[in-house]
Amino acid sequence: MTYVDGLVIPVRAGTDSAGYARFAEAIAPIFRDHGATRVVEGWADDVPDGKQTDFRRAIQAGDGETVVFSWIEWPDKATRDMGMAKVRADPRMVSTGVEMPIDGARMIFGGFQVVLDC
């Protein structure tokens, strides 16, 4: 059954969508090489402020920062677990040749079992 890693990512001020896309394009193949079937990156376009919480508050986005909503699809949880271990150990994750425009300490992520895909 399909397994998904979901991420809400704070992108540093001064980074535009093209700059973020260069970073994402550099790391997406690493996930694909280790079993991911799809990597999707969504640049904030219509992200309203909420009354109690919202995407920006969830990642403590500062002035000028933006939000990226991302997901990585895997064939199943076992493939994801093995693949993520390989991704973490892959030397390309350390040196992509592209500046990392995110604050990983405030990134929110988690794994999810797909219960509906229509």
Side-chain angles (χ1 to χ4, degrees):
M1 176 175 281
T2 302
Y3 198 82
V4 176
D5 280 314
L7 305 95
V8 181
I9 305 167
V11 180
R12 297 181 199 281
T15 304
D16 62 10
S17 61
Y20 180 80
R22 281 190 296 279
F23 165 72
E25 288 168 352
I27 65 168
I30 301 168
F31 289 91
R32 300 283 308 239
D33 288 350
H34 296 301
T37 57
R38 186 173 181 209
V39 177
V40 179
E41 304 283 346
W43 186 260
D45 179 56
D46 184 12
V47 181
D49 292 339
K51 291 185 181 193
Q52 292 186 346
T53 191
D54 56 50
F55 280 107
R56 293 187 55 77
R57 279 190 267 185
I59 58 169
Q60 300 172 350
D63 291 340
E65 291 185 322
T66 195
V67 178
V68 164
F69 178 69
S70 176
W71 68 91
I72 304 166
E73 295 179 11
W74 305 88
D76 51 54
K77 188 173 189 304
T79 301
R80 179 267 201 166
D81 290 348
M82 287 187 298
M84 285 300 282
K86 290 177 182 178
V87 166
R88 287 185 198 98
D90 193 309
R92 294 176 292 173
M93 287 298 286
V94 176
S95 178
T96 62
V98 179
E99 182 181 347
M100 189 165 86
I102 68 171
D103 182 350
R106 290 183 286 132
M107 177 174 61
I108 298 170
F109 57 92
F112 301 84
Q113 292 180 1
V114 174
V115 296
L116 176 67
D117 185 357
C118 57

